[in-house]
Amino acid sequence: MKFLCLDCDDVMVFAERQIPGDGTLAAVFTCGSCGREMAMLTNPMETQLVSSMGVKIGGREVPMQPMELARTSLEGGREDAFALSEDIPREPAIPGESTNAGEATAGRVVWTSEAAGRLERVPSFVRGMVKRIYSDWAREKGVSEITPDVMDRARTELGLEGM
Amino acid sequence: MRKIRTYQDVTHETGSDLLEQVVEQQRRLAERLAQVRSVVAVASGKGGVGKSAITANLAAALAAKGLAVGAADADLNGPSLARMMGVSGARLADRESGVSPAQSPSGVRVISMELLQEEEDAPLRWREPGMGGFIWQSTLETGVLREFLGDVEWGKLDVLLVDVPPGTDKIGRLLELVPDVDQMLLVTTPSETSRFVVSKSVRMAREATVGTVALVSNMAGHTCSECGHVSELFTGDGANRLEEESGVPVWAVIPFDPRLGAATDSGTPLVISDPEAHSSRAIFALADRVEEHVGIRAEDAAEEGGS
């Protein structure tokens, strides 16, 4: 989908996305030549069609998480379907295969008990995914300890309302 | 009438980043499947021919032969593979490199929608608008299947079996995600109706870029456990007719055995609980054929690249 400014014969460029929370979406595009703005408004079905592709108009704030589409779209997800990796030791299915035991040790961040308590309130179906988003953000920012304040900062910066 | 440039005429980036995200999804899937020597689809087009039971038993048989095997249940609306492989209720671990699959007692790594659903009798439902599901549901379910294949930490596998639900469109859905499926086993029964439906899948598979296509004739007669008399469950000779018409070989003829269903119901494939049963031996023979073809496509590609 592209928008063309007819006066300038120039393609309009994505500028801003707003999600009002009623299932609709507004995406603002701007003409780089004359500065004219226009907003594309989608109804819930159109919004859902785009999100069903696992994409976000204007790009993603955080990388696509493993099984994000299933976890965020499934109605009636099993509460204990997912466990944090440290709760389930990985056993090699093939003799001699690496267990990646030290996979998370590089750039590891520490969660304070308050932050961990707040994470516990996130439904477990998406908890691992949310934990990884915060951990990745902290590593990227050079933050070694995740506190509730750090979580707030990350949430604001990444636009993760409800996490 | 004024001339407005077409979509193709406008080559500048819009900044919406949609195409880039789709490309990134495909890259992740390809990267994951690069660790899999052979993707083997177990499909039919027809329902009720025993695809899932064959997938479960074939997976267990291949694992018993020492291969590293994964099994993905592409039937999101009627998942059965987790139950048949004995991993119902297993938890999936969130890891840096993806979601760990369940590990069956027979050594097969399994992913199935059943593992994600809370209630046993809950039909598959998605959040979001109640209306217009026909518009986006197929897109969403294809995306979830992509996650099953690409976001699960399969590790290095010799074979990743994909249990494809009924309908030739579901075969097409898989082939869009994984155009270079190595082997496609099309399960049929001796019935004429089954032959008629499965012939459509044969055509679809052959027109696509599937490496090897083969037929599996399931429920091909019933051997009486008391007297050994073989009786036919279906009239017709569907699999052989299909082989003659299409040139696609029959790789296995699996007799009907009520114990096969009972074994998968209990979560232990028959090839494990009774490897000497007629059906088990037929499935082990099928596993031999599958193993013979593992990696052939990659080797052919390497040879072509090197020549």
Side-chain angles (χ1 to χ4, degrees), chain B residues 170-271:
Chain B
K170 306 302 189 301
I171 297 174
R173 187 183 287 185
L174 174 67
L175 290 172
E176 282 186 24
L177 289 170
V178 190
D180 52 352
V181 164
D182 278 305
Q183 303 178 46
M184 184 171 290
L185 306 178
L186 293 172
V187 182
T188 185
T189 69
S191 86
E192 177 58 23
T193 302
S194 182
R195 182 206 62 80
F196 166 71
V197 176
V198 177
S199 68
K200 299 174 189 301
S201 303
V202 167
R203 180 164 167 180
M204 175 173 261
R206 299 191 76 178
E207 288 176 355
T209 53
V210 177
T212 303
V213 185
L215 297 168
V216 175
S217 181
N218 195 26
M219 305 183 207
H222 171 243
T223 305
C224 176
S225 58
E226 299 295 323
C227 67
H229 174 72
V230 178
S231 54
E232 301 301 326
L233 291 176
F234 299 95
T235 57
D237 191 16
N240 288 332
R241 268 195 63 197
L242 202 49
E243 181 180 39
E244 287 167 15
E245 290 167 0
S246 66
V248 171
V250 176
W251 272 10
V253 177
I254 303 171
F256 177 81
D257 187 339
R259 292 174 301 168
L260 193 140
T264 44
D265 278 352
S266 73
T268 304
L270 188 67
V271 294

Side-chain angles (χ1 to χ4, degrees), chain B residues 122-138:
Chain B
L124 182 65
R125 290 200 178 107
W126 305 106
R127 293 180 185 153
E128 308 303 335
M131 291 172 58
F134 64 94
I135 295 173
W136 49 263
Q137 195 162 337
S138 178

Side-chain angles (χ1 to χ4, degrees), chain B residues 11-291:
Chain B
T11 54
H12 289 88
E13 293 298 323
T14 66
S16 62
D17 201 38
L18 296 181
L19 188 58
E20 290 80 357
Q21 292 174 68
V22 172
V23 168
E24 169 62 13
Q25 291 171 356
Q26 292 169 340
R27 187 198 63 76
R28 280 172 61 155
L29 176 60
E31 190 175 278
R32 184 75 67 184
L33 294 183
Q35 296 188 70
V36 178
R37 292 180 67 201
S38 272
V39 175
V40 178
V42 181
S44 173
K46 180 88 173 66
V49 294
K51 292 179 296 297
S52 298
I54 287 176
T55 304
N57 279 277
L58 179 59
L62 288 164
K65 287 163 65 67
L67 276 70
V69 183
D73 191 348
D75 195 343
L76 307 182
N77 286 276
S80 56
L81 210 51
R83 187 160 301 257
M84 290 181 171
M85 299 300 297
V87 297
S88 291
R91 301 184 78 191
L92 307 168
D94 266 315
R95 300 190 188 282
E96 291 291 314
S97 53
V99 171
S100 286
Q103 179 90 17
S104 81
S106 52
V108 177
R109 305 171 195 188
V110 183
I111 189 69
S112 171
M113 181 53 75
E114 185 198 330
L115 299 172
L116 305 187
Q117 290 184 290
E118 179 74 51
E119 296 174 14
E120 187 177 294
D121 62 350
L124 182 65
R125 290 200 178 107
W126 305 106
R127 293 180 185 153
E128 308 303 335
M131 291 172 58
F134 64 94
I135 295 173
W136 49 263
Q137 195 162 337
S138 178
T139 305
L140 179 58
E141 292 180 6
T142 303
V144 171
L145 177 57
R146 171 180 49 73
E147 291 185 337
F148 275 14
L149 299 173
D151 286 354
V152 170
E153 190 190 41
W154 295 110
K156 288 183 180 175
L157 292 181
D158 293 309
V159 176
L160 174 59
L161 291 165
V162 183
D163 182 17
V164 183
T168 50
D169 61 321
K170 306 302 189 301
I171 297 174
R173 187 183 287 185
L174 174 67
L175 290 172
E176 282 186 24
L177 289 170
V178 190
D180 52 352
V181 164
D182 278 305
Q183 303 178 46
M184 184 171 290
L185 306 178
L186 293 172
V187 182
T188 185
T189 69
S191 86
E192 177 58 23
T193 302
S194 182
R195 182 206 62 80
F196 166 71
V197 176
V198 177
S199 68
K200 299 174 189 301
S201 303
V202 167
R203 180 164 167 180
M204 175 173 261
R206 299 191 76 178
E207 288 176 355
T209 53
V210 177
T212 303
V213 185
L215 297 168
V216 175
S217 181
N218 195 26
M219 305 183 207
H222 171 243
T223 305
C224 176
S225 58
E226 299 295 323
C227 67
H229 174 72
V230 178
S231 54
E232 301 301 326
L233 291 176
F234 299 95
T235 57
D237 191 16
N240 288 332
R241 268 195 63 197
L242 202 49
E243 181 180 39
E244 287 167 15
E245 290 167 0
S246 66
V248 171
V250 176
W251 272 10
V253 177
I254 303 171
F256 177 81
D257 187 339
R259 292 174 301 168
L260 193 140
T264 44
D265 278 352
S266 73
T268 304
L270 188 67
V271 294
I272 302 299
S273 60
D274 187 356
E276 293 303 316
H278 286 304
S279 299
S280 295
R281 279 189 274 160
I283 291 167
F284 273 114
L286 175 61
D288 289 340
R289 300 298 295 268
V290 169
E291 185 182 12

Side-chain angles (χ1 to χ4, degrees), chain A residues 2 9 14 64 69 78 88, chain B residues 10 14 28 95 116 147:
Chain A
K2 294 173 182 172
D9 195 30
F14 174 81
M64 186 89 176
L69 197 55
R78 197 177 120 214
I88 300 183
Chain B
V10 177
T14 66
R28 280 172 61 155
R95 300 190 188 282
L116 305 187
E147 291 185 337

Side-chain angles (χ1 to χ4, degrees), chain A residues 11-38:
Chain A
V11 67
M12 302 181 86
V13 178
F14 174 81
E16 180 187 356
R17 178 180 64 219
Q18 291 190 4
I19 303 170
D22 59 357
T24 68
L25 176 145
V28 178
F29 289 79
T30 308
C31 174
S33 298
C34 69
R36 175 178 295 172
E37 289 185 311
M38 62 151 287

